[in-house]
Amino acid sequence: MGVAFVLAAIGVSGAGESVVRQTVPVGAAEAVAATCASGVDPDYNGDGIRDIAIADPEATVGGKARAGRIDVVYGGGKGTKRLDQDLAEVPGAAEAGDQFGFSLASFDVNEDGCDDLAVGIPHEAIGTAADAGYVSVLYGSPTGLAQGTAAVSYSQDQEAVPGASEAGDWFGYSLAAGSTGGQPFLIIGAPGEDLTTTEPMVDAGLVAYWRGGAFADIHQDTAGVPGTVEKDDRFGAQVAATSTHFAVSAPGEAVGTDTFAGGVGVFSHTYTGGVPNGVIGLDQDGVLSSGADVWGGAEPSDSFGKALAMVPFRSSGTGTPTESLLMVGVPGEDHPADADGGQVQVFQVTAAGVVSERPVIHQNIVGVDGSTEPGDLFGERLAAVNTAPNSASTTATVLLAVGVPGEDVGNYRDAGAVQTFSLIGAPGDGDVWIEQGDAGTGGEAGPQEYFGTGLGATSASLYLGVPYGPAADRAVYGLPWANVAPGGTAGTVQTWRPGEGGIPADDVTAFGAVVR
């Protein structure tokens, strides 16, 4: 089932029993017995040292296959914590197919200085509605995650949450979180949501946007939201955000007669009529605000928006990082005979909502390592960072990692790879190629390992998860961004592996499929 998790457009089905969820709202700052020292992200115990959450959403828990779990490793050698739904402090119960940890996002929701962890469980059953999904927010504290304030969960059977819990909604399939204007926000994708206009639109999708104690309902039939509600759009399959903007993908969007061509909606965090303002809708047949055409042309199964990443951006001479760079993965793009070779398209969004396109990235560009091949799926996964958001962006500070899980390495089919790029300058100026065993990662490339599916990023490190392949190779590596930046210097690579450093070794299935 690992391949299904990696490559399926929208998850796999699962079933489970209903759960009891707390209806306490995610709220204001609370007094804590010991002070959390904010400053690094994520920092779940508030000691000023970065922590890491490593999910295995396919793990067996208490004999329940693919129930899912998360291993948290606290920085500075302060121990580990295993989280699953069989723990009293975690809402729900471990059930077969739940996939606890399928999506993760960290933010300081109660503003106490300790980061909190939002966990997506999109295949959780709500009552008799299989795969309806829900999201739990586990609070950080000076003693770690889920050790202080009781966790809060959200599902669509709660009055304040948009939609209704229905079979196959996949609420929590995607998550993004952060802070804007001094307020924390949480964005939850439910790409399996069915909507009704003049007729039922199966898997049209929606997004629940939480800020200031209330939810807003965003879908393509909402005033000001780009696009039109259609069957199989899967709006909300991916979400990404900065403090200024956020983006929502609909990789199943039909463009004209081209089904599953894909589209992306870009929004600001400012409200009109209780809903965040739409900035632009993007697809490969679209036109930018400048009048320029979006690169390429919409084609069936391009899946424009299958992956998203977004980082703050500061142009030279501007005072604050109020712009954003949006990276859109298009893993189904053909070049031209290389079906599903894939590419990444990059858009710059100003505070005023002016959107322009920067150079497209793929393996047929002069100077870029490798070449496009059928089934590479370049852009299936993305992770990006601005390591110095308060300074003018440079080639060394605004960086992108692209997962290429279908890359063949030697004679090994679908061994997978990762390629990093600066988001300033030509794509071939200093790109770095990483296959298993390179850049401080362990093991060796092998068939159908899909290296490049577990990607994560902090301002300090690029996380490379190796969730598939031989058990001895399962690990997560933390590469300093300087190691893969143009002109960077080599730093120490961290390794987290089942059976080492306090992480239990039992029932490893897809360790590192999701990392935050």
Side-chain angles (χ1 to χ4, degrees):
M1 298 306 295
V3 176
F5 174 83
V6 174
L7 300 179
I10 296 290
V12 288
S13 62
E17 301 171 3
S18 62
V19 297
V20 176
R21 289 165 301 284
Q22 302 176 56
T23 57
V24 179
V26 179
E30 300 180 7
V32 291
T35 301
C36 291
S38 59
V40 299
D41 178 26
D43 181 8
Y44 302 118
N45 60 359
D47 62 358
I49 304 172
R50 183 171 284 105
D51 306 319
I52 184 173
I54 302 171
D56 183 344
E58 298 182 28
T60 298
V61 177
K64 307 296 175 56
R66 294 170 46 248
R69 64 168 175 243
I70 300 166
D71 285 302
V72 180
V73 182
Y74 298 108
K78 295 184 179 178
T80 63
K81 174 70 174 179
R82 171 158 286 184
L83 298 168
D84 60 54
Q85 290 181 289
D86 273 353
L87 295 177
E89 60 267 36
V90 177
E95 296 152 337
D98 279 354
Q99 295 199 356
F100 177 83
F102 187 92
S103 58
L104 300 175
S106 63
F107 64 143
D108 186 5
V109 64
N110 59 354
E111 300 176 276
D112 64 354
C114 290
D115 282 320
D116 312 305
L117 184 66
V119 182
I121 313 105
H123 299 294
E124 180 75 44
I126 306 299
T128 59
D131 300 326
Y134 82 119
V135 173
S136 286
V137 178
L138 309 179
Y139 287 88
S141 75
T143 52
L145 273 172
Q147 300 301 301
T149 302
V152 174
S153 290
Y154 291 112
S155 67
Q156 292 178 290
D157 64 344
Q158 296 170 5
E159 183 177 354
V161 180
S165 291
E166 300 159 324
D169 279 351
W170 299 305
F171 185 79
Y173 186 90
S174 62
L175 295 172
S179 178
T180 181
Q183 287 186 318
F185 66 84
L186 175 64
I187 305 170
I188 304 171
E193 180 75 26
D194 298 346
L195 297 173
T196 301
T197 53
T198 57
E199 60 181 292
M201 298 294 179
V202 177
D203 293 347
L206 67 72
V207 160
Y209 176 95
W210 179 91
R211 180 159 65 92
F215 277 98
D217 183 358
I218 305 174
H219 55 75
Q220 290 180 297
D221 204 29
T222 304
V225 174
T228 303
V229 169
E230 297 166 320
K231 178 180 180 292
D232 290 328
D233 279 350
R234 299 174 185 180
F235 183 82
Q238 293 297 320
V239 291
T242 67
S243 62
T244 310
H245 303 99
F246 67 95
V248 179
S249 78
E253 180 82 32
V255 180
T257 59
D258 295 321
T259 57
F260 290 88
V264 174
V266 182
F267 301 81
S268 75
H269 289 288
T270 58
Y271 276 71
T272 297
V275 177
N277 290 326
V279 173
I280 194 172
L282 299 169
D283 63 62
Q284 290 183 298
D285 277 356
V287 179
L288 300 171
S289 50
S290 64
D293 292 337
V294 174
W295 194 93
E299 298 163 323
S301 300
D302 274 352
S303 296
F304 180 89
K306 180 75 177 294
L308 295 178
M310 206 173 205
V311 296
F313 182 73
R314 180 176 173 181
S315 298
S316 178
T318 60
T320 56
T322 55
E323 300 183 354
S324 300
L325 290 183
L326 168 65
M327 283 59 70
V328 178
V330 197
E333 183 74 28
D334 302 340
H335 291 277
D338 296 326
D340 299 337
Q343 67 185 27
V344 176
Q345 292 179 235
V346 184
F347 300 89
Q348 183 174 343
V349 188
T350 71
V354 177
V355 180
S356 57
E357 190 166 11
R358 300 174 74 87
V360 69
I361 302 171
H362 56 74
Q363 291 179 299
N364 273 355
I365 293 172
V366 174
V368 172
D369 283 345
S371 60
T372 59
E373 299 160 325
D376 276 353
L377 299 175
F378 182 94
E380 178 83 8
R381 293 286 190 271
L382 301 174
V385 71
N386 186 339
T387 62
N390 294 317
S391 302
S393 299
T394 70
T395 56
T397 62
V398 186
L399 303 166
L400 171 68
V402 180
V404 196
E407 180 76 30
D408 297 344
V409 177
N411 294 323
Y412 297 128
R413 183 178 177 84
D414 297 336
V418 173
Q419 202 159 4
T420 63
F421 301 85
S422 173
L423 290 166
I424 295 178
D429 293 346
D431 63 299
V432 175
W433 178 263
I434 306 169
E435 57 192 58
Q436 196 163 334
D438 291 345
T441 64
E444 297 179 353
Q448 296 181 315
E449 292 186 353
Y450 307 106
F451 185 74
T453 61
L455 290 183
T458 69
S459 60
S461 300
L462 167 64
Y463 294 141
L464 301 181
V466 188
Y468 306 109
D473 288 352
R474 309 285 178 85
V476 172
Y477 299 96
L479 280 64
W481 279 104
N483 288 23
V484 293
T489 56
T492 301
V493 175
Q494 294 180 283
T495 303
W496 298 272
R497 193 186 305 276
E500 298 178 4
I503 301 173
D506 56 311
D507 297 323
V508 174
T509 308
F511 179 85
V514 185
V515 187
R516 294 292 181 271

